[in-house]
Amino acid sequence: VTNAAGGAINGVQVGVSLAAGGLVSVQSGGTISGLQGVRISGGAGTLVNAGSMTGGQIGAVLSAGGSVTNQTGGQIAGSHGVAVYGAAATVVNAGTIAGNSTSGFGVTLGAGGTVTNQASATITGLAGIFAATIAATVVNSGSIGGNLTTGSGITLKVGGAVTNQAGGTISGNRGIYALGSAAATVSNAGSIAGNLTSGSGVTLTGGGTVTNQAGGTISGSYGVVAGSVAATVVNAGSIGDGTSLPT
């Protein structure tokens, strides 16, 4: 399906539904909307968006894995912005992906994969990125933001890796929240910020490694927090407002 500039596809339930995998391309100026903007099931999906894709529930959902490329000027929004399940996802964002800031996620990875958020791009939600079940990799040069009182910029439920490049920002009540027993790796040359009164820049409950490079800043009520599993912190930048490690 190709929705050209000026084209509008609106569905009460789903704007575009493909039941055997396939490709949906939305050109600049094109729009797709519905309770779910785009739903691709039954096989890997490919979504390329330079226009607007909105859903009351989900902007775009791929239930058998695949790839999402949100180009410069592209907007994908809903209670949840993008959700990919069933198989690994590759998400590349140069535009805006937005979930509800109190109840939804910008990008949900249900089966692992990779999210690359490019310079000037934004991903927001209660959690900007939420990865469940399988480890995920995030590379950020833009802005990833979660709710500053109840959310996180990035949540990794089973470990993974986050690289925040120079100029990149990650924020939330917890900037990066790696929970569970799996280790996570964080490399930062930009800014990772948690709530200064109640949150943390980076939390690793399953241990792992935080490398804060020259020029990198990590801040929060606690800069870096590790749980009952040993963690390693290497700092050449600034970690503010306390660092908590197991004793």
Side-chain angles (χ1 to χ4, degrees), residues 16-139:
V16 173
S17 178
L18 303 181
L23 166 68
V24 176
S25 176
V26 183
Q27 298 178 358
S28 180
T31 64
I32 297 177
S33 62
L35 194 60
Q36 297 177 357
V38 171
R39 180 174 65 202
I40 304 177
S41 60
T46 300
L47 176 62
V48 180
N49 179 54
S52 174
M53 191 174 301
T54 58
Q57 292 179 341
I58 302 176
V61 57
L62 280 59
S63 64
S67 66
V68 176
T69 302
N70 193 41
Q71 299 176 340
T72 302
Q75 298 183 357
I76 303 175
S79 180
H80 297 279
V82 172
V84 185
Y85 302 100
T90 300
V91 178
V92 178
N93 181 44
T96 299
I97 300 175
N100 187 289
S101 64
T102 59
S103 61
F105 305 134
V107 175
T108 301
L109 302 181
T114 302
V115 178
T116 302
N117 194 46
Q118 299 179 350
S120 301
T122 63
I123 300 174
T124 58
L126 174 64
I129 297 172
F130 182 84
T133 309
I134 297 175
T137 299
V138 178
V139 179

Side-chain angles (χ1 to χ4, degrees), residues 157-241:
K157 291 196 70 175
V158 287
V162 177
T163 300
N164 192 40
Q165 299 178 337
T169 63
I170 300 171
S171 62
N173 184 56
R174 295 180 175 97
I176 297 172
Y177 185 26
L179 67 160
S181 59
T185 301
V186 176
S187 177
N188 179 51
S191 171
I192 302 174
N195 189 303
L196 290 175
T197 58
S198 62
S200 59
V202 177
T203 296
L204 306 178
T205 65
T209 302
V210 177
T211 302
N212 194 40
Q213 301 175 8
T217 62
I218 301 175
S219 61
S221 180
Y222 293 94
V224 177
V225 176
S228 59
V229 180
T232 300
V233 177
V234 178
N235 181 43
S238 172
I239 299 178
D241 302 292

